[in-house]
Each structure stands twice: as structure tokens, then as C-alpha cells.
Amino acid sequence: MLGFAARRLLVSIGLVWLVASLVFLVIHLIPGDPAELLLSQGGIAPDPAAVEELRERLGLNQPLWQQYATYLGGLLQGDFGYSLQDEHPIAEEIALRLPRTLELVGAAGLIAVLLGLPLGTVAALRAGGLLDRMLSAVAALALSVPVFVVGTLAVLVLAQQLKLVPAGGYVPLAQDPLRHLGLLLMPAGTIAVGLSAVVFRVTRSSVLEVLQREHVRAAQARGTPPAAIIRRHVVRNALTPVVTVIALHLGTLLGGTVLVEFVFNWPGLSGYLVRSVEARDYPEVLGIVVVISALFVLLNFVVDLLYAVIDPRVRHG
């Protein structure tokens, strides 16, 4: 197991380096001078002396290889540089906002698993029945409704009309735990609507496939209780594709929660990324994209380890 984890860790480190390098090159291949874009106002050309001074301050007048070396050295030390807008340390802003997005994504994933996994299993065990058809129809509806529509309806019905929960905002957990959880519930639930439908459909398909395998039929022929068959032979063997789908969707949500954060005024990392793109603050964009990519790679590393725990054949493959 340790050898398997070490190999996957080395691959993950290589992927992070590759992504960081690609992001750096793509940013520098974008047409236009960042210094000129930052100093331009209302389409008026900036003063060449001011542009040159800003280029020197940002290190843009250095050779590309030297900029790359400085960039990698900063990443190894956790230094993403400073914002071009207010010269605030980018690492501090990411460290402030990242836990909020991770909390939002994690809560949505937990809700989706708690709903989608048992309901998908039940639907597969009653395939073709009334309950299966009803659950499948609800899942199809949940997948077809955009997340911003779900969020808007949640604010309108639950917050404005029924007044069950606040409409949005953010309060630190240490300041008021109950209000924090109340404000987290709606954005996390909004994301979980579509994600739980995905988990449901993948779980249903996977359980149906496992139920047709020989070892399940052999257990049934031996007279093993149905509950034991489901627990020992079906659910565990059906988890691999479910874990894959959950990991991919959670990785996508790390940078894709911008609409939910906007609707519910949740100050996370996605909103910070949009603001940085609009301001053409390329050090901020670079730092945020690298952090999100590294988290995605880390998530896949954790999934590889889960594969090895769920199915011991994986680590010997």
C-alpha cells in the first residue's frame, strides 16, 4: 500500500508542476502587454515611461526563463506575488477565501452522497418498479434545471416567502456557528440538487451491473441473507464508478461555484477569480488557477487511494 501511495504521489507532484508550467506559458502567450492594459484608461494610451516602470516593477522586462524560475521559486515557498490592483499579497487572499469554497463544495458533496447513494441503491433493487420510475424522473428533472434557477427559487420561496432561512451572506463559524450553518445550507443544497441526481444515476447503474455478476448469484444460491449480499458484495463493488464521478464533479466545482456564490453572496474563491479576470490582474489569475489545479490533482490522488482501499486488486495492478 505504501509503495502504491508513493508512486501516485510522485505522479501527482509531476502533474502539479506540469499544470503550473502550462498556466504560466498560456498567460504569457496572451496578446497584449499587461502593464499597458493596467495603465490604460478609457482607451487612452498610457505614458511609455510609466509603462516601462511598471514592467520593471513586475519583472516583465526579464527574459521568459528568468520569470519562469522566479515564478516556480515563489510557488515552492507558497508565494504567489502581489495583486496589481492594490498590491495585497495574493496568498493571503487565497488563504482567506479558499476554506469558504472548500466548505461549500464539501457540504454539497456530503448532501449529495447522503441522498444519491442510498436512493440509487434502492432504485436499482426495485428496477422497473414504481419507486424506481419516480426517483429516476425526479433525478432527470434535477439535472435539467440550471443551478442559478435552483438558487433563485430557493431564495424566493425559502427566504422571501416562507422566511425559513436567510437569503444569503456570510458569517464566520467562530463568530456565530448556528447562523454560519444556516447561511451555508441554501448554497450547499443548491449545488447538491444536481450533484445528488448524478450520484443517484451512477449508483443505480453500477448496482444493477454488480447484481448480475457471478459472485452475487453464488451468494444468493448459498442462501446468504439479502441484506448481507447488498452490504458485502454489491455496494462495495459498485462504489468505484461512484467515487470517480463524485471526485470529478467536486474538482469541477472548486472553480465553478461562481453563480452560487454570486446568488447567495458567499465570498469564496470563484468570485475572487472572476474579479481578477475582469481586472486583468494576471498574478491573481495565475495564483488562483494553480491552487485550483493543485487541489484537483490532490483530489484525484485521494481517489486513487480510495480505489486501493475499496478494491485491493488496484494496488497490485
Side-chain angles (χ1 to χ4, degrees):
M1 183 66 180
L2 290 178
F4 174 82
R7 291 194 300 271
R8 289 296 185 269
L9 180 61
L10 290 175
V11 172
S12 299
I13 293 173
L15 285 174
V16 172
W17 168 78
L18 181 61
V19 168
S21 302
L22 287 175
V23 171
F24 175 85
L25 292 175
V26 168
I27 290 289
H28 283 75
L29 286 175
I30 296 176
D33 188 338
E36 289 185 4
L37 293 173
L38 286 169
L39 295 176
S40 298
Q41 294 182 354
I44 301 175
D47 180 25
V51 173
E52 189 60 33
E53 180 183 353
L54 182 59
R55 284 178 55 82
E56 183 175 355
R57 181 161 61 88
L58 298 177
L60 298 175
N61 57 346
Q62 299 175 349
L64 187 60
W65 68 267
Q66 192 170 348
Q67 295 183 49
Y68 177 67
T70 304
Y71 162 71
L72 285 185
L75 289 185
L76 292 175
Q77 300 175 27
D79 181 12
F80 297 100
Y82 296 86
S83 170
L84 301 182
Q85 305 172 70
D86 53 14
E87 297 188 355
H88 188 79
I90 297 172
E92 290 185 7
E93 193 69 23
I94 292 177
L96 178 66
R97 291 174 175 267
L98 179 60
R100 301 169 185 171
T101 296
L102 291 177
E103 182 183 21
L104 179 59
V105 172
L110 179 61
I111 295 172
V113 170
L114 292 177
L115 289 176
L117 195 61
L119 292 178
T121 304
V122 170
L125 295 176
R126 290 165 173 77
L130 178 61
L131 181 61
D132 177 32
R133 293 197 296 269
M134 291 176 58
L135 291 175
S136 298
V138 172
L141 177 62
L143 284 173
S144 64
V145 181
V147 66
F148 64 88
V149 174
V150 176
T152 304
L153 289 176
V155 171
L156 178 63
V157 176
L158 299 179
Q160 299 296 330
Q161 296 184 355
L162 300 180
K163 300 186 183 301
L164 295 177
V165 291
Y170 177 81
V171 173
L173 180 64
Q175 179 179 330
D176 191 341
L178 290 179
R179 183 166 175 80
H180 174 85
L181 294 176
L183 292 170
L184 174 65
L185 181 61
M186 275 216 300
T190 298
I191 297 173
V193 168
L195 185 57
S196 60
V198 173
V199 175
F200 166 83
R201 298 181 74 169
V202 175
T203 302
R204 180 183 180 277
S205 299
S206 184
V207 170
L208 282 175
E209 190 270 331
V210 173
L211 286 172
Q212 304 303 317
R213 294 182 182 176
E214 292 297 330
H215 69 278
V216 175
R217 294 180 179 178
Q220 292 172 340
R222 290 195 302 268
T224 306
I229 294 176
I230 299 300
R231 186 177 63 254
R232 299 174 188 173
H233 302 288
V234 176
V235 174
R236 181 169 182 173
N237 287 285
L239 281 179
T240 300
V242 177
V243 169
T244 302
V245 169
I246 293 174
L248 289 175
H249 279 77
L250 291 182
T252 304
L253 288 173
L254 288 173
T257 58
V258 58
L259 291 175
V260 174
E261 290 182 2
F262 176 78
V263 170
F264 294 100
N265 195 25
W266 188 267
L269 194 62
S270 295
Y272 183 37
L273 176 60
V274 172
R275 191 196 75 178
S276 302
V277 171
E278 291 177 345
R280 298 175 181 177
D281 195 330
Y282 85 91
E284 285 187 347
V285 175
L286 201 59
I288 297 169
V289 172
V290 168
V291 168
I292 292 175
S293 303
L295 287 174
F296 193 88
V297 172
L298 177 62
L299 188 59
N300 280 273
F301 170 69
V302 174
V303 169
D304 285 340
L305 297 184
L306 287 177
Y307 285 166
V309 173
I310 295 172
D311 188 352
R313 295 172 299 178
V314 172
R315 56 178 177 261
H316 300 300

